[in-house]
Amino acid sequence: MRKEQISDKEAMFVLIIYYIGSSFILGVGGEAKNDAWISVILGVVMAVPVILIYARLLSLFPEKDLFDILDWAFGKWIGKLFALVYIWYSFHLGALVIRNFGEFTNTIAIPETPMIVPMLCIGIICTVAVTSGIEVIGRISAAVLPILIIIVSTVSLMAIPKMYFHFLKPILGNGFLPIIKGGFSVFSFPFAESVLLMGVFSSLKTNKSPYRVYLLGTVIAGLLILMITFRNITVLGSTYSKFYFPAHIAVSMVSLGDFLQRIELAVAVDFVFGVFIKTSICLLVTCKGIAKLLRLNDYRSIVIQVALLMVYFSYTLYDSIMEMAGWAFKVYAYYAFPFQVIFPIILFVTVEIKVRRGKKKLQTGVGTDG
Amino acid sequence: MIVLIIIGYSLLALFELIPFYHQKHWREFWVNAGFGFCSFTIAVLLSFDVNIPSPSEPIKNMVMFVIRKLV
Amino acid sequence: MKKFLLLTIFLFINVMILAGCWNYKEIEKLTIVAGVAIDKGENNPFRVTVEIVQISGGKETKATSKLLTMEGKTIFDAVRNAISLTGKKLYWSHTKLVIISKDIAENGILRVIDWYNRDAETRSDVYLLISKEKTAREILEGKGVTDEIKSFEIADTLKNEKSLSKAPTTELWKFINDLESPGISNVVPTVNISTSENISTPQVMGLAIFKKATLIGFLNGRESKSVLFVKDELKGGLILDGVQVNNSQPVSLEIFKSKTKMEPIVKANHNIEFNVNINTTVSLEEIPTSMNLTDEIKLKKLTSRTEEVIKKRVGDCIKKVQSKYGVDIFGFGENLRENNPRIWNQIGNNWDDKFKELKVNVKVKVKIKGSGIFSQSIKMGD
Amino acid sequence: MIRKKNILDQNKNNTVEEDHILVKSLEANIEMFKNLFRDDEMLIIRKFQNKYLPTAKCCLIYLAGMVNNDLLNENVIQPILQNNLSEEIQTNHLLEELQYKIIVSNNVEMVNRFDELVATVISGDTILLLEGNDNALMISSKGWPSRSIDEPESAKVVRGPREGFTESIVTNLTLIRRKINTPDLKLKFREIGERTHTKVCICYLEGLALEEILAELEKRLDAIKIDAILDSGYIQELIRDAPFSPYETVGYSERPDVIAGKLLEGRIAVVVDGSPFVLTVPFVLAESFQSDEDYYNNFIFASFNRLLRMVGVFVATGLPAVYLAIVTFHQEMLPTPLLISISSARQGVPFPSAFALFFMLLVFDIIREAATRMPTPIGQAVNIVGTLVLGQAIVEAKIVSAPVIIITAISGIMKLLSPTALGSVIVLRLFFLLLASVLGIYGYIFGMILATLHLMNVRSFGVPFMLGLSSVKNHNGQDIWIRSPWWSMTLRPKIIGARNLVRHSMKKTPGSKPK
């Protein structure tokens, strides 16, 4: 099989869609209320060091993905244990994203349709995408992202008459604590979730590109999320954090003249594409991990079954949307912290020590087993 | 419902498993069969409205426990 | 590829069998609700009247209105009871307004509007109105002048309110938003039935004052305009009843644009004053007397007279609200909270008391911009 | 399996054995031909002698209708009849004498193998047999009636050359060569079709066409084992990528200027004898939206037209699905007056909107199909029936609502904006409609994603099918969404024209600036 390769631009676009996918509609940093936009900035700033670690790891091992690095750093058995941990995380994250989409369709879009149906549809599309490979995912991202950005900015521009800028005030009215809390939640969702892309970006072209991709992608996505958060706050005011899907509500307020109104479906388009890309990445990483773990020839052989399992898993994940929201706001940030920060730091330290100790081993040592 | 699930999974088996069997990719065959069996079981259980325990509650408890310990 | 093809086909069949009646709704089967009126029921707490758009086919599109009343223990109960009358679920996405009767509003409207705001079928950007008549239903019983469907007509009125400015426009979500934010009380437009030539039509005029979610009083159309002046929501309309110069006949001035700046002045001891600076650009629209418009002195006189009138009216209105109702419908508190959160945190808790004694300095600046398409007033020949 | 093989074994035809050669006796040779063309009365055998040398008995064999009669009469029969042969040569060199000195024809060859002679006769040339010689002369005399070069019906232009390919491969290659006067234009012939022996010519510009693509094309052409090739459509389907896709991955055109343009971009053309449609590979999606007229018109106007075509395809595929989704799932999207008028139009219509849309789309395609196959007068009648009876009456009879007719008509007209994409549009439209009838607008979005994924996966001769569609700034995208002015298109598309990227070196905008 031909070596898969994606250009820096495509990788960056994948990363951006991965970031903005579900955060566009779920809203981020709700804890900080009308200061959520500061939380977004804070979240990006907090994410940068972690992201630099990911980029450093990737650039140390060109053409190796997360699981290879784990194997190399920790040896066979502990490496496999860590691999299992990340397989679980990507599987779980994929399920969460699918569930978000399911809840969205079930509460707002098509409430009478059983939730499993749109979830299964996303599963099928992701199966097709993952089977086609990261190249195709990259190309479709490159093609779609400009359209998404155009849609989002047009809608945001149209929202300007409905914006009340005094909703932003008082800045820092509630003190710093909520902002830091919000910043932390923005950090863990969506920015530090990019740890999973380490499982995919083995297909990058040069050594330098992980830095470029990660940093630029994070900054651009940060700006976009900032814009959306800004729009949501100025349109919705302090009730912003009360909605499950604030972007949807904010856009539903927008109208241009008498004719162009109720354009919230435009946001739904973004959401579907975002969820599709994000789930595809999660699915891809899960399958790659399992394939590495069980030493399969090609991850494609298990995609369908893993996708089905992911959909079923996400279906059983919560009983209600309240539970989902509670989980997303209260638990997720802490739950994801080890996967996003602690394990990568352990990995990073181990790798650095090993690399310092023997530069020569790097060439021969990588990927001897597996 | 259950009929549809069975048809679906037999189709899947037909298009996924049988080729592996013919190509003698035993590892793939068994892994796939294992996953397939799991998902089939869950699908059947879901179709009978059996409540499958969700991991989110234990995770929540665990996270809360750890946080309380730390703080 | 073939694999996916077959899988997709299978899923299609699957879905086709199951899909039958999910969200697929034929458009003509919808019972479109144009507006809702909520009253106290006789036996139940709530009586909900909906105006339904009845559409008849044929060569010409004809939409007529029909009223439907049902009672229930809660609003949602009443709404669902409608199924027993219509046989179909009501369709709420195109609803334009919610009218609430005085009785209900005086007991707090939160329990009325919560369903409306929460449910996914309804949209929270509907207009909220308070009926000045005995029941809210009466409003919908009136007859439309330009539109067969009264709710649509009232909605149009509210939309064009910006060139009349005798009532505010309050959307439901904004009401709830202001309800939640401290330092501002809500105002809601009122609607009454006006009878002319034996046709009773709904008329939107004046506003209702809310303390939290409870109705406590009304202001008339002229006072509403003053409120809008202060809240910087004035987009047009006349400076009504004319402004007189030298005891001549009144002159109509139309507001072109108006900008109000509110600034808190914090003095020692947490004494707070507010400056309200109103900047208005108007144009002369009706000059019944012969007046030389190029005469600068006269124009200046007119300007200063206008300024006085506005200042007096706004000042009176603020005084009245302060003394009679004691709730901050102008958003002084909100302004303070946004611009000076530190002070607000100290005194915000009993803002309503503070508001009653708040000193407000109104400054008005009027600029006359034009005089229609005539440069001269009409001069009668001898 | 076994039965199929038996049938294949039986399928041996009674052609001539390869090592059969002529004999010295004229009569015997003639007898052999007569025998082979037993029931073919088109075979003409004309015997004659030289005036001065009666022993020089000649015989011309050819197929009536396939040869140019004037040429045979004046340049072959007349010289042989009237020249004084007797004194000059001996009998055994007579044939060479005829070949070199007597016969006035541009291509005369001496052959003695029977199968070659038969092939010659069949292809429209003439053979000359001579008494006492076991060789024969093949005289080039092809001349059958053929269509003149005129403007193709299928691709009319307002601006641009008014010539189209004909059914003759020689004419077609001439037309191409007249556009590209360079020895770099290479033509490689081969015969495909076990019974038809159709001439197929691969046509490319050396130094421009990618060798990998050329090799791949030759491989695929060589792999074809089929009894007959009646049109280039056969080849098109036999060499294409993604055989199950609704999208065409091999391009075709009836216009020499289009083919020349494609050749100059580094593509390879396949000319098939008997077909006025010339194939080009590789073919990418963007080419469906290009028209040769784009390149002759003002570039702003051309870009506008091209965008129209793209929007047309997009709307044609999506409109019915989006309409259905909005009308039956997301009624809140409609402005209230529109909701009321659509609702009013649907009063009393018994069939669901989804069914009505499916039905009307099918009806539209049925009318289109019927009108294309019919002669023009009847076609017009079909159109009238289609518009009046189906359009008007069906609404009045309340079988479908008027908006459905409008949607069908818009979609139907939009899809005609780019005829090459017609097949895929029709298929995808129904696919999207099906999805939208189940999941509303989300179904449509899912369908779009699936279609895009499919397009991303497809390659045509190794070139990504979506080439250029996602870029607007570099030279790949210069000729995709818009048609850039010629002076700015200095480079060829990146992948297809990779061997020689520079198209021209004009850097400046034309015209002189006032100083």
Side-chain angles (χ1 to χ4, degrees), chain D residues 33-34 36-44 63-64 121-122:
Chain D
F33 275 100
K34 274 190 175 162
L36 192 66
F37 290 85
R38 267 194 300 287
D39 292 329
D40 188 347
E41 287 173 16
M42 297 288 269
L43 187 79
I44 308 289
L63 285 172
V121 172
I122 289 172

Side-chain angles (χ1 to χ4, degrees), chain B residues 3-70:
Chain B
V3 179
L4 286 174
I5 289 175
I6 290 171
I7 296 174
Y9 273 91
S10 21
L11 271 180
L12 268 185
L14 201 70
F15 286 111
E16 284 250 79
L17 280 178
I18 306 242
F20 288 136
Y21 181 80
H22 280 303
Q23 292 160 16
K24 304 226 174 342
H25 286 169
W26 295 115
R27 200 171 260 283
E28 266 88 354
F29 179 79
W30 287 117
V31 170
N32 209 315
F35 278 115
F37 182 72
C38 282
S39 72
F40 177 69
T41 319
I42 297 177
V44 170
L45 288 180
L46 281 180
S47 76
F48 284 125
D49 277 338
V50 177
N51 205 6
I52 295 163
S54 146
S56 47
E57 200 60 24
I59 291 175
K60 186 175 167 184
N61 294 338
M62 205 168 74
V63 169
M64 287 300 169
F65 178 74
V66 171
I67 290 171
R68 232 168 282 138
K69 270 277 156 105
L70 288 177

Side-chain angles (χ1 to χ4, degrees), chain C residues 33-92:
Chain C
V33 176
V36 204
I38 299 170
D39 291 308
K40 261 208 174 95
E42 278 157 24
N43 308 317
N44 285 305
F46 294 111
R47 194 178 69 170
V48 178
T49 308
V50 290
E51 185 180 28
I52 290 170
V53 184
Q54 272 204 319
I55 299 161
S56 56
K59 281 247 155 107
E60 281 171 37
T61 308
K62 230 189 201 165
T64 47
S65 109
K66 193 180 180 188
L67 294 186
L68 194 70
T69 306
M70 54 266 174
E71 295 195 350
K73 294 246 177 335
T74 61
I75 301 284
F76 195 54
D77 181 30
V79 167
R80 277 290 176 266
N81 282 343
I83 296 179
S84 65
L85 296 176
T86 57
K88 297 172 203 162
K89 265 171 77 175
L90 300 177
Y91 179 69
W92 293 90

Side-chain angles (χ1 to χ4, degrees), chain D residues 69-130:
Chain D
N69 287 333
D70 292 345
L71 187 141
L72 279 186
N73 289 343
E74 287 170 22
N75 301 345
V76 181
I77 300 179
Q78 200 180 14
I80 297 176
L81 281 179
Q82 294 183 348
N83 275 13
N84 189 350
L85 294 173
S86 61
E87 293 169 14
E88 291 165 22
I89 24 102
Q90 289 103 7
T91 328
N92 45 353
H93 286 125
L94 191 56
L95 207 58
E96 280 93 340
E97 197 67 19
L98 287 178
Q99 181 182 5
Y100 292 119
K101 292 186 179 160
I102 309 290
I103 294 173
V104 188
S105 171
N106 56 355
N107 190 4
V108 181
E109 275 177 55
M110 196 179 290
V111 189
N112 70 346
R113 281 187 35 203
F114 192 60
D115 55 335
E116 264 183 69
L117 289 170
V118 170
T120 312
V121 172
I122 289 172
S123 70
D125 287 338
T126 307
I127 52 177
L128 178 73
L129 298 173
L130 191 65

Side-chain angles (χ1 to χ4, degrees), chain C residues 249 287-291 376-382:
Chain C
Q249 283 185 316
I287 317 162
T289 56
S290 53
M291 189 178 110
Q376 302 280 321
S377 58
I378 299 164
K379 286 216 174 71
M380 280 167 282
D382 298 308

Side-chain angles (χ1 to χ4, degrees), chain C residues 145-381:
Chain C
V145 178
T146 53
D147 202 326
E148 187 75 27
I149 294 144
K150 276 86 66 182
S151 302
F152 291 171
E153 190 181 291
I154 298 174
D156 279 344
T157 317
L158 284 167
K159 218 172 269 167
N160 295 326
E161 193 62 47
K162 57 174 175 274
S163 46
L164 179 65
S165 294
K166 283 189 176 171
T169 56
T170 308
E171 289 177 0
L172 188 73
W173 68 273
K174 187 81 170 73
F175 183 89
I176 290 173
N177 215 343
D178 284 350
L179 199 62
E180 289 197 339
S181 60
I184 187 162
S185 291
N186 268 302
V187 289
V188 175
T190 54
V191 60
N192 57 295
I193 290 282
S194 114
T195 312
S196 64
E197 297 180 12
N198 293 330
I199 303 172
S200 26
T201 341
Q203 185 191 27
V204 182
M205 183 72 84
L207 56 81
I209 299 176
F210 276 78
K211 180 174 187 159
K212 299 287 172 220
T214 325
L215 175 75
I216 54 169
F218 295 100
L219 291 181
N220 63 21
R222 187 205 277 189
E223 288 159 341
S224 301
K225 181 163 291 174
S226 304
V227 175
L228 294 179
F229 252 128
V230 180
K231 287 181 84 171
D232 193 21
E233 280 173 14
L234 200 76
K235 303 254 166 59
L238 300 183
I239 296 184
L240 56 153
D241 310 343
V243 176
Q244 288 169 312
V245 184
N246 296 343
N247 295 329
S248 67
Q249 283 185 316
V251 174
S252 297
L253 296 165
E254 184 170 30
I255 297 165
F256 241 62
K257 64 176 187 204
S258 170
K259 180 90 197 133
T260 307
K261 259 211 162 133
M262 203 187 268
E263 46 178 355
I265 302 165
V266 183
K267 298 204 164 147
N269 252 351
H270 294 326
N271 260 340
I272 295 162
E273 275 180 26
F274 264 90
N275 277 352
V276 176
N277 297 324
I278 300 173
N279 256 319
T280 313
T281 312
V282 298
S283 76
L284 280 160
E285 287 295 326
E286 212 176 344
I287 317 162
T289 56
S290 53
M291 189 178 110
N292 192 358
L293 294 176
T294 46
D295 187 344
E296 236 175 73
I297 302 163
K298 278 205 174 144
L299 219 52
K300 243 185 200 147
K301 226 175 193 172
L302 185 64
T303 312
S304 62
R305 181 79 191 111
T306 317
E307 282 171 1
E308 267 168 47
V309 169
I310 295 175
K311 188 174 170 178
K312 183 160 183 307
R313 280 189 196 154
V314 171
D316 287 353
C317 176
I318 294 175
K319 284 245 164 56
K320 184 181 172 187
V321 173
Q322 275 177 329
S323 57
K324 202 171 168 192
Y325 303 112
V327 285
D328 181 5
I329 56 171
F330 304 101
F332 289 120
E334 191 184 41
N335 190 289
L336 182 68
R337 185 174 64 87
E338 279 165 5
N339 291 318
N340 215 334
R342 240 165 358 112
I343 304 284
W344 172 258
N345 284 342
Q346 285 162 14
I347 60 167
N349 284 337
N350 44 1
W351 176 249
D352 277 355
D353 297 338
K354 275 260 158 42
F355 172 71
K356 277 176 200 158
E357 282 120 39
L358 191 70
K359 189 162 176 256
V360 181
N361 312 313
V362 184
K363 277 181 204 145
V364 186
K365 214 164 170 201
V366 171
K367 202 175 131 199
I368 297 179
K369 200 185 140 220
S371 57
I373 54 173
F374 281 107
S375 66
Q376 302 280 321
S377 58
I378 299 164
K379 286 216 174 71
M380 280 167 282

